Amino acid sequence: MTAPVLSIAYHSGHGHTAVLAEAVRSGAAEAGAEVHLIKVDEITDEQWATLDRSDAIVFGSPTYMGTASGAFHVFAEASSKRWFGQDWKDKLAAGFTNSGSKSGDKLHTLQFFQILAAQHGMNWVNLGLHPGWNNSAGSEHDLNRLGVFAGAAAQTNVDEGPEAVHKADIATAEHLGRRVADTARAFARGHAAA
């Protein structure tokens, strides 16, 4: 069986989200996927073609003012060319985001990604982890320390650079990459058996 093709379509305003994109890439590659990082604010025709041939697309953006960045919204609108032909129908989708606040309305960004995926007829892959750091035995070093189910969420202080992205959030993004790659492999097996 060939390796699943996974693309990470992301925007990073100050480098924090790029750290998460690299973590998703690392987890997916560890799980045996062919992985492509695509900066949506610099996307080329060749990269659009890569998205079209991908088994899964993972969306990533910082959360600005309660939603994905403007650059990501431009990409989402441009993807409507694929919507007309349902070019991404039945692909897998997932998402990740970062903001300065513990909540920071990150859930709204992930829901924006989910709706974008649904409009394309894609199948959403959630994080698949219980929340961490929600009992007296937990710690900020737990996977899914922010307790988000829809995708990988991270929090980085607004006065710190990309090197300060929390290690637990990086590990959570790696988990998401592995989960999407494993799910894509399972879907491919199911299609082959059908």
Side-chain angles (χ1 to χ4, degrees):
M1 175 170 280
T2 60
V5 179
L6 189 150
S7 289
I8 302 162
Y10 75 99
H11 173 247
S12 186
H14 302 285
H16 305 88
T17 309
V19 170
L20 297 174
E22 180 56 38
V24 173
R25 186 212 61 77
S26 178
E30 178 185 298
E34 172 190 329
V35 189
H36 303 273
L37 286 173
I38 298 173
K39 295 179 180 179
V40 298
D41 54 334
E42 301 173 2
I43 194 165
T44 65
D45 289 341
E46 181 181 320
Q47 290 172 321
W48 278 110
T50 298
L51 292 174
D52 294 343
R53 71 177 182 86
S54 295
D55 300 302
I57 302 173
V58 182
F59 302 123
S61 170
T63 294
Y64 293 155
M65 302 306 293
T67 189
S69 67
F72 193 92
H73 277 266
V74 169
F75 160 77
E77 187 173 326
S79 77
S80 65
K81 292 178 182 174
R82 272 67 188 164
W83 175 84
F84 282 104
Q86 290 290 278
D87 299 343
W88 293 355
K89 185 176 181 179
D90 295 329
K91 292 182 185 297
L92 299 179
F96 61 94
T97 189
N98 179 79
S99 73
S101 299
K102 296 292 189 277
S103 169
D105 294 320
K106 287 185 274 288
L107 178 58
H108 184 259
T109 299
L110 293 170
Q111 289 172 331
F112 169 72
F113 295 157
Q114 288 175 318
I115 292 169
L116 175 64
Q119 289 197 347
H120 280 288
M122 302 170 81
N123 299 293
W124 188 260
V125 179
N126 61 46
L127 189 57
L129 286 174
H130 284 291
W133 201 21
N134 67 352
N135 60 59
S136 60
S139 84
E140 68 175 294
H141 303 290
D142 293 343
L143 286 179
N144 196 19
R145 71 187 181 108
L146 299 177
V148 176
F149 293 92
Q155 180 274 330
T156 310
N157 294 331
V158 297
D159 59 347
E160 294 184 297
E163 70 284 349
V165 176
H166 200 286
K167 300 295 184 224
D169 296 341
I170 292 171
T172 301
E174 289 171 345
H175 167 83
L176 179 66
R178 283 189 299 274
R179 179 168 167 83
V180 174
D182 289 343
T183 304
R185 187 172 294 102
F187 263 58
R189 285 188 188 127
H191 282 287

